[in-house]
Amino acid sequence: MEPPVRLASTGTIIHGVSVGELLGVSTLAEARLIAGESGLGRVVQRLNVMEVPDILPWVKPHELLLTTGYPLRNTPQSLGRLVADLDERGLAALAIKLGRYVDELPPEMVEQADRLGFPLILLPNDVGFDDILNQVLTDILNRQAAVLVRAEEAHRALVHVVLAGGGLDEVTAEVAELLDISVAAVDGRGRVLASAGRHEAALRDSVTRDLAREAATGSGARAWVSVPVIAGGHHHGRIIAYSPAGAIRDSDVSILERAATVAALAVTRQEAVNAVESKYRADFLRDVLTGRAGSGERVVARARAFGWDLERPVTVLVAELDPEADERTAQDRLVTCWTAAMRRHDPRGAVAGFSHEVVAVLDAAVDAARVAKDAASAFADTPPITFSTGTSRPSSGPETLPEAYSQALKAARVGRQLHGPGAVAHFDQLGVYRLLSLVSDTAELHAFVRETLGPLAADDDAENADLRRTLQVLLETNLNVAETARRLHFHYNTLRYRIGKLERMLGNFTDDPHLRLNLTLALHVLRMRGI
C-alpha cells in the first residue's frame, strides 16, 4: 500500500491547536473536561456557536462548538444524540455552559463522548464566548502564520540549493536536516533516486520492498508521508518522508510540498541537460554510422569522451518502432530501455536514439540476442507498442560501422516484413532476402515484379490476389498439386483449372525451372514491399 499522499495546500487554514493545548489558554483556565479524554489530540481550526437546534448543517470539521444549551432547553433529551452527530461530522469538541438553560448533561451523552473520544468541556460561567473566540482564533492564526513563515524560509533554502547547482541528493539532504527526518526521492517506477537522513537505510529498504505504510492518527503526526513531484503536467515521482517516531506533522508536510516543487525544478533541469547531451551523442553516432565523422582515430577519440569503446570488434543493433506504434513517448521509452540494457551488458557500448529508432554498438563478444531480449522485456509494460530489432555482422572498426549499420537496419525492416511486428532478425539469417535487400535500386526491383507477375503484382483485384496466393503455395510445395489443394482447401480439379489459368497469364512455369525461379524471386520481393 502506498503511503498517504497529501496534495498541495489551497491557502485555507490547515493548522490549528489541539483540544488539550486549548484548555491551557487563559480564558479556558477554569474550564473542565467532562468526558472524551482520549480525544484531546483532536485539532481545532475554527470555532462556532450553537444558536439553533438544527446546528448540524452549519458545522464543519475541526470546529470547537460553543453553546449554552439554549437551543435545546426544551428538548434536553436531544443532547444524547448530539455527540454522535457532531463526531460523525468531524468536529473537534463541544464546550457547554451549564446552569442557566441546561442544569446537567444526560449520562448517556457523557458515556457516548467517552466511547467516541469526543471531548466534552464544561465552561466557566464568567467567561464570555467573545473572549474565547478572540483568544483561540488569534492563537490559531499566529500558529498558521508561523508555519507559513517556516515553510517560506525552507522554500528559499531549497531554491538556493537548486540555483547553486544542487540536484536531488542535495534537496533530500536539506529537507532531512530541516525536519530531522529521513527523506527519499523516487521516480515514477518506485526506484530510489536520492535519500538522506538518520534512517536512510531503513527508508531505502522499505521503499525498495514496497512495504505497507500508514500514517499515524491522533495529533496529526504520522510516520510516513508521500508527496507527488509534478512538473508541466507530468508525474516525475514522489518525495517520501519517514520518521520512526511518527513525528511528521502537517507543518512538516507543507515543507515537503515545497521540496516536491523544488525537486520538480531539479528533475526538469536535469532532463534538459540529459536531452542536450543525448542530442550530442545521437548526432555524433549518426555521423559515425553514415561515414561523416572523420578519420578512425578522430572517431575513437571522440567516442572515448562519451565513454564508448569503438576500437574493439563490435556488432550494430537497430531497434525500430513498428509503424503502428509511432509515438514520441514510445520513442523516449525505447531509448531508456535500451540504455539500461546496454549499461548492464556492455557499459562501454554506444547507444543513442534517432527519430524512430535506437542504435546500439555492442561488444561483438556479448550476446546481442540477450541484450535485445532484455530491452524488449523492459519495454513490454507499454503494450501494444512493439519494436523490431536487426543485428549486423561483426564490425572490425569505425571504418566498417556504416556498412554494419546498413545491415542492421535492413535486418530490422526485412524481419518485420517477414515475421510481423516485434521481430528479431540477424542480417546473416535473412537468406535470399539478404541478397534482395542489397539491391539499392528499388525501382528496378518493382519493375522486375511487374514484368514477372504481370497483373498478379497488384492488389486492386481480389481474384488476382487469390491467384497469387495459389501460385505461392504451388512453388512452396514444388508443384505438388495434391499438397497444394490440401493447404488451400481446394478440390483437385479446381486447382488444375487454376494452374491452367496461371500458365495462360504467366507462361508455362510448370515445365520451365528458370521461370519458376523468377516467379519465386518476384513473390519474395513483394513480401519485402515497403523496404
Side-chain angles (χ1 to χ4, degrees), residues 132-279:
I132 298 175
L133 290 169
N134 287 333
Q135 186 171 16
V136 173
L137 285 176
T138 299
D139 196 7
I140 291 174
L141 292 175
N142 286 340
R143 293 194 181 207
Q144 175 85 356
V147 167
L148 292 176
V149 169
R150 180 174 178 242
E152 285 298 327
E153 291 175 349
H155 183 70
R156 283 195 294 270
L158 291 168
V159 170
H160 178 73
V161 166
V162 175
L163 293 179
L168 291 178
D169 287 327
E170 290 75 15
V171 169
T172 53
E174 183 73 15
V175 175
E177 183 177 354
L178 284 170
L179 302 181
D180 193 24
I181 57 178
S182 298
V183 181
V186 301
D187 64 11
R189 303 180 68 190
R191 293 178 300 184
V192 178
L193 303 177
S195 62
R198 287 185 297 172
H199 304 281
E200 176 184 356
L203 174 59
R204 275 181 169 270
D205 182 61
S206 180
V207 171
T208 302
R209 290 185 288 116
D210 196 26
L211 295 180
R213 299 180 287 275
E214 295 185 11
T217 58
S219 64
R222 66 211 77 178
W224 292 91
V225 169
S226 174
V227 180
V229 177
I230 300 175
H234 299 288
H235 194 291
H236 294 280
R238 293 168 289 151
I239 295 291
I240 297 178
Y242 168 61
S243 172
I248 305 176
R249 298 181 174 273
D250 284 344
S251 58
D252 298 330
V253 178
S254 296
I255 293 177
L256 290 171
E257 291 169 354
R258 306 296 182 96
T261 302
V262 174
L265 176 62
V267 168
T268 52
R269 184 191 63 186
Q270 187 59 47
E271 286 181 347
V273 172
N274 292 342
V276 173
E277 292 179 349
S278 178
K279 183 179 185 303

Side-chain angles (χ1 to χ4, degrees), residues 463 467 492-502 504:
E463 182 181 2
L467 285 172
Y492 183 85
N493 291 336
T494 301
L495 184 57
R496 296 301 308 177
Y497 167 77
R498 284 184 167 232
I499 292 174
K501 188 171 184 178
L502 284 169
R504 288 193 295 274

Side-chain angles (χ1 to χ4, degrees), residues 68-74 76 97-104:
T68 60
Y70 176 79
L72 301 176
R73 65 191 185 283
N74 297 323
K97 286 186 178 183
L98 296 179
R100 186 169 184 181
Y101 301 108
V102 177
D103 293 328
E104 60 180 9

Side-chain angles (χ1 to χ4, degrees), residues 176-446:
E177 183 177 354
L178 284 170
L179 302 181
D180 193 24
I181 57 178
S182 298
V183 181
V186 301
D187 64 11
R189 303 180 68 190
R191 293 178 300 184
V192 178
L193 303 177
S195 62
R198 287 185 297 172
H199 304 281
E200 176 184 356
L203 174 59
R204 275 181 169 270
D205 182 61
S206 180
V207 171
T208 302
R209 290 185 288 116
D210 196 26
L211 295 180
R213 299 180 287 275
E214 295 185 11
T217 58
S219 64
R222 66 211 77 178
W224 292 91
V225 169
S226 174
V227 180
V229 177
I230 300 175
H234 299 288
H235 194 291
H236 294 280
R238 293 168 289 151
I239 295 291
I240 297 178
Y242 168 61
S243 172
I248 305 176
R249 298 181 174 273
D250 284 344
S251 58
D252 298 330
V253 178
S254 296
I255 293 177
L256 290 171
E257 291 169 354
R258 306 296 182 96
T261 302
V262 174
L265 176 62
V267 168
T268 52
R269 184 191 63 186
Q270 187 59 47
E271 286 181 347
V273 172
N274 292 342
V276 173
E277 292 179 349
S278 178
K279 183 179 185 303
Y280 277 118
R281 287 194 297 266
D283 288 345
F284 171 64
L285 187 57
R286 185 183 289 108
D287 288 343
V288 171
L289 297 177
T290 54
R292 300 196 304 265
S295 65
E297 294 79 6
R298 184 171 182 271
V299 168
V300 169
R302 287 198 62 189
R304 194 178 294 117
F306 288 117
W308 301 342
D309 183 2
L310 300 184
E311 291 183 281
R312 56 188 175 165
V314 294
T315 302
V316 177
L317 291 85
V318 171
E320 189 177 48
L321 284 172
D322 294 320
E324 63 272 16
D326 189 10
E327 299 179 8
R328 183 64 203 172
T329 54
Q331 173 67 11
D332 293 341
R333 181 85 179 109
L334 185 64
V335 174
T336 301
C337 292
W338 272 93
T339 301
M342 287 289 290
R343 189 179 299 118
R344 285 190 291 270
H345 295 278
D346 184 13
R348 295 186 301 159
V351 59
F354 297 164
S355 56
H356 300 296
E357 66 191 43
V358 174
V359 179
V361 182
L362 179 72
D363 185 351
V366 176
D367 186 353
R370 184 177 178 184
V371 178
K373 183 178 180 181
D374 194 359
S377 176
F379 193 75
D381 59 354
T382 56
I385 303 173
T386 58
F387 64 88
S388 298
T389 307
T391 306
S392 74
R393 293 169 174 168
S395 169
S396 58
E399 295 81 5
T400 57
L401 282 175
E403 180 182 356
Y405 170 62
S406 177
Q407 293 171 359
L409 189 59
K410 288 175 180 177
R413 294 180 179 179
V414 173
R416 181 192 298 116
Q417 291 293 323
L418 298 180
H419 308 298
V424 179
H426 192 287
F427 185 72
D428 284 340
Q429 298 172 347
L430 298 180
V432 68
Y433 297 102
R434 187 181 78 207
L435 298 176
L436 293 173
S437 69
L438 294 175
V439 179
S440 58
D441 189 351
T442 56
E444 186 64 31
L445 284 176
H446 294 158

